[in-house]
């Protein structure tokens, strides 16, 4: 899934925090055990949707994407700038992209001099295009199993317990963890992961890139579909 979202929002630190209610008392929680169980349960699912909104410096970016056996991808909308789509078929060295505005063609998809006739068209970007790695992030998690793994393109073992909370009416365990999801390349970035409380925990939500406020939610477990478009039109340079 494209990491262009990261480029849009990491410039400014925002102090806003998501709304949740802290538990007055909570049983002792093993952060390592909780994270391991949640990732294992998540990895066992066939598909998942990741959606929500994060903000920084007055700009809000919404994300609605998914991981399925067919591939991964979705849409990203940045304030009034517009929306761009990116879909990567599983196991292929190309992706498909589309933008709803000239501005998004230029900023998100690195088209140098876009025009209105190039808006709202699906384009194919192959691994031979120097923009491919930045747009498709082929070394990042491509499947649900990779997304919820202890691996360079998944999660670090480094984790600590923060609190047991209620988020949108759901009891969750709040963990300070580290994920590759919003990293453009190798390594991990600190994030807050919310895991459902109970015998079979699942990842429930996660914070966005460092310096942003807001949450992204994991939903539609096992029922998410990713439609793969088709186009032979090459993304303009």
């Amino acid at each position: 899934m494209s990491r262009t979202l990261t480029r849009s929002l990491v410039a400014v630190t925002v102090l806003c925090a998501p709304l949740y209610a802290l538990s007055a008392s909570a049983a002792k929680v093993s952060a390592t055990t909780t994270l391991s169980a949640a990732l294992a349960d998540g990895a066992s699912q066939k598909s998942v949707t990741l959606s929500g909104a994060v903000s920084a410096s007055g700009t809000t970016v919404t994300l609605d994407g998914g991981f399925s056996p067919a591939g991964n991808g979705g849409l990203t909308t940045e304030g009034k700038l517009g929306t761009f789509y990116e879909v990567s078929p599983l196991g292929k060295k190309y992706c498909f992209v589309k933008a709803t505005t000239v501005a998004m063609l230029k900023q998100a998809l690195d088209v140098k001099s876009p025009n209105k006739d190039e808006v709202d068209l699906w384009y194919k970007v192959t691994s031979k295009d120097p923009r491919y790695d930045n747009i498709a992030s082929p070394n990042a998690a491509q499947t649900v199993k990779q997304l919820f793994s202890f691996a360079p393109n998944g999660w670090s073992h480094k984790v600590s317990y923060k609190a047991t909370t209620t988020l949108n009416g759901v009891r969750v365990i709040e963990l300070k963890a580290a994920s590759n999801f919003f990293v453009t390349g190798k390594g991990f970035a600190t994030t807050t992961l919310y895991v459902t409380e109970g015998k079979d925990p699942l990842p429930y939500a996660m914070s966005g890139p460092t310096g942003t406020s807001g949450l992204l939610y994991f939903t539609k477990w096992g029922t998410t579909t990713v439609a793969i478009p088709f186009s032979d039109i090459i993304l303009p340079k």
Side-chain angles (χ1 to χ4, degrees):
M1 190 177 292
S2 173
R3 298 295 187 271
T4 307
L5 172 67
T6 305
R7 291 189 299 165
S8 303
L9 293 174
V10 296
V12 177
T13 299
V14 177
L15 299 179
C16 299
L19 295 176
Y20 57 78
L22 290 175
S23 173
S25 62
K28 187 175 181 181
V29 175
S30 168
T32 300
T33 300
T34 301
L35 178 61
S36 297
L39 293 185
D41 284 350
S44 70
Q45 304 291 320
K46 292 183 178 180
S47 63
V48 68
T49 291
L50 180 62
S51 60
V54 292
S55 302
S57 190
T59 297
T60 297
V61 172
T62 59
L63 174 69
D64 188 5
F67 292 79
S68 81
N72 71 81
L75 63 90
T76 304
T77 301
E78 183 178 344
K80 298 180 180 180
L81 199 62
T83 300
F84 74 90
Y85 299 75
E86 184 274 325
V87 179
S88 294
L90 188 62
K92 305 298 184 180
K93 294 184 178 180
Y94 57 81
C95 68
F96 298 102
V97 297
K98 180 175 70 171
T100 63
T101 64
V102 170
M104 288 305 273
L105 277 170
K106 186 172 184 178
Q107 176 168 312
L109 301 178
D110 294 327
V111 178
K112 293 182 179 178
S113 300
N115 60 67
K116 292 182 179 180
D117 293 336
E118 295 166 334
V119 169
D120 283 327
L121 296 176
W122 281 107
Y123 296 101
K124 185 176 184 179
V125 184
T126 71
S127 59
K128 295 181 180 179
D129 191 315
R131 297 168 294 184
Y132 174 75
D133 283 358
N134 188 55
I135 292 174
S137 302
N139 296 318
Q142 301 297 307
T143 65
V144 176
K145 187 174 182 179
Q146 292 173 350
L147 180 64
F148 299 112
S149 66
F150 287 115
N153 60 357
W155 295 78
S156 166
H157 285 277
K158 188 176 181 180
V159 60
S160 60
Y161 170 74
K162 295 182 69 176
T164 299
T165 75
T166 299
L167 181 60
N168 291 339
V170 177
R171 289 281 296 176
V172 293
I173 297 170
E174 184 180 357
L175 301 173
K176 181 179 180 181
S179 169
N180 176 258
F181 192 81
F182 290 114
V183 177
T184 53
K186 297 180 180 179
F188 301 103
T190 301
T191 186
T192 300
L193 179 67
Y194 298 86
V195 174
T196 57
E197 188 181 43
K199 182 180 178 181
D200 299 309
L202 270 176
Y204 180 73
M206 67 182 294
S207 59
T210 301
T212 67
S213 64
L215 292 177
L216 301 172
Y217 292 86
F218 299 104
T219 59
K220 299 181 182 177
W221 294 96
T223 61
T224 295
T225 59
V226 176
I228 308 297
F230 177 79
S231 176
D232 280 329
I233 306 174
I234 301 301
L235 183 67
K237 295 182 178 180

